[in-house]
Amino acid sequence: MPAHPGLSIRGAQEEDPPDPQLMRLDNMLLAEGVAGPEKGGGSAAAAAAAAASGGAADNSIEHSDYRAKLTQIRQIYHTELEKYEQACNEFTTHVMNLLREQSRTRPISPKEIERMVGIIHRKFSSIQMQLKQSTCEAVMILRSRFLDARRKRRNFSKQATEILNEYFYSHLSNPYPSEEAKEELAKKCSITVSQVSNWFGNKRIRYKKNIGKFQEEANLYAAKTAVNAAHAAAAAVQNSQANSPTTPNSGFQMKDEEFQLDSAESKNTLLSNMFTGGYPAPCYQSDGRIQ
DNA sequence: GTCAATGATTTACC
DNA sequence: GGTAAATCATTGAC
């Protein structure tokens, strides 16, 4: 920019009071890693997305997808911002040149120049604000897509479901795993503890609602557990270790309440299984409590 | 495309 | 804070 006494655009730029809305937008863009220095494509936001989705390791593809899209937004934002700044400077220079031309034919006060530059900058600021606003919106949409866990729900692996079902049906009298048991199950199933809690919450309520429907499944897992128990017993006999007698489960109880086996058929089958060996024996914890 | 199954979330309760 | 119950949203079989 050519030096010209009294014709500087700096003054007007610095006198503008900070717009609170613009500051909010700037802060958000900074926090999301769109504005400011490159932070690995908004790794903070990606980490937030990971935390919100349960932290499972199975969504690394989604994360890289998220980062890629955020980088895209960042690139577009910076390109557009540069374009606006360049256009603003060019236009200001152009106006300054015109004023300089005019100053040959009429006196132009510094105040008038300042006013003109101010008008130009305000106009470009409002355009910049629109750009920042739409960038924020794009980031919000992107985040909502990746943060909404329901959108990227994945069914658990067959093995994980088997492990959970085995535990559920072998603890049918009290299907409330302790915190330690939940952690153990989570580890075995490669899911989070809260996912284990969710699974048991869903299972308990769905089992209770329709015991008949789950009868086949219950029998299947009961048989499975019985086979496992038989193998364990055989191993124990081999080791000449006497087993203490077990007591059959008294029935499914919801928390603090006797669980109603409202289907007589279900109850009969379950009871029949319990006493014919098809139904699993209660599982004792290390402290002797029935789980 | 439909529909049942299923994982996640929300709300209310204790 | 943990759970029951209702509900939402996606998946997967058909």
Side-chain angles (χ1 to χ4, degrees):
Chain A
M1 174 156 192
H4 193 280
L7 290 182
S8 163
I9 60 167
R10 295 180 78 186
Q13 220 167 6
E14 282 163 8
E15 275 167 23
D16 282 343
D19 183 332
Q21 201 192 340
L22 189 62
M23 275 174 71
R24 271 199 300 276
L25 291 171
D26 280 337
N27 285 340
M28 190 200 150
L29 291 172
L30 259 170
E32 293 297 333
V34 175
E38 176 77 60
K39 291 192 293 184
S43 55
S53 66
D58 61 355
N59 46 17
S60 56
I61 296 165
E62 280 96 341
H63 287 173
S64 59
D65 202 15
Y66 177 88
R67 279 196 293 275
K69 286 191 163 61
L70 197 68
T71 305
Q72 223 176 326
I73 292 173
R74 186 185 157 87
Q75 276 169 353
I76 293 168
Y77 170 74
H78 282 287
T79 310
E80 290 298 307
L81 200 63
E82 244 174 71
K83 266 201 268 177
Y84 286 145
E85 275 170 3
Q86 202 183 335
C88 180
N89 284 339
E90 276 174 13
F91 191 71
T92 308
T93 309
H94 179 66
V95 170
M96 300 280 270
N97 286 339
L98 283 177
L99 287 173
R100 208 178 299 136
E101 290 287 321
Q102 281 191 13
S103 68
R104 287 182 194 148
T105 54
R106 69 173 177 97
I108 295 175
S109 69
K111 214 161 184 151
E112 191 181 341
I113 296 162
E114 212 172 90
R115 197 177 62 85
M116 286 297 283
V117 172
I119 290 167
I120 296 165
H121 282 169
R122 271 193 291 278
K123 195 71 207 162
F124 275 93
S125 277
S126 78
I127 295 168
Q128 239 182 44
M129 177 108 89
Q130 279 172 28
L131 170 71
K132 286 177 179 177
Q133 202 144 19
S134 57
T135 306
C136 280
E137 278 167 19
V139 172
M140 284 293 99
I141 290 164
L142 183 69
R143 283 197 66 159
S144 74
R145 279 189 61 160
F146 280 84
L147 284 170
D148 192 349
R150 288 177 189 176
R151 284 183 185 275
K152 54 186 167 64
R153 181 178 76 75
R154 294 278 181 277
N155 286 350
F156 295 160
S157 68
K158 207 178 166 192
Q159 199 188 3
T161 310
E162 289 229 331
I163 291 167
L164 294 167
N165 271 317
E166 267 178 35
Y167 188 100
F168 180 81
Y169 287 111
S170 65
H171 296 78
L172 208 49
S173 65
N174 185 31
Y176 298 87
S178 64
E179 203 53 40
E180 296 81 48
K182 280 181 192 172
E183 280 169 21
E184 183 71 23
L185 286 166
K187 211 170 159 186
K188 278 188 192 170
C189 301
S190 304
I191 56 175
T192 65
V193 173
S194 61
Q195 283 178 302
V196 172
S197 299
N198 283 342
W199 190 91
F200 273 88
N202 284 326
K203 190 72 182 181
R204 278 191 299 264
I205 200 74
R206 283 163 186 166
Y207 180 85
K208 183 191 167 189
K209 267 186 171 177
N210 197 347
I211 293 166
K213 197 182 84 180
F214 288 98
Q215 200 52 64
E216 204 178 324
E217 189 178 77
N219 291 338
L220 186 80
Y221 281 100
K224 223 172 176 177
T225 312
V227 168
N228 289 343
H231 285 156
V237 166
Q238 272 189 341
N239 289 333
S240 307
Q241 284 177 347
N243 285 328
S244 57
T246 56
T247 313
N249 285 349
S250 57
F252 189 156
Q253 279 185 330
M254 286 303 253
K255 195 183 170 215
D256 299 331
E257 155 204 6
E258 181 81 30
F259 187 76
Q260 297 300 306
L261 290 172
D262 42 18
S263 153
E265 186 199 347
S266 303
K267 192 173 188 175
N268 288 339
T269 318
L270 272 174
L271 288 172
S272 143
N273 284 334
M274 283 161 69
F275 293 108
T276 55
Y279 192 77
C283 183
Y284 292 91
Q285 289 180 325
S286 53
D287 62 1
R289 283 183 299 126
I290 300 175
Q291 278 185 320

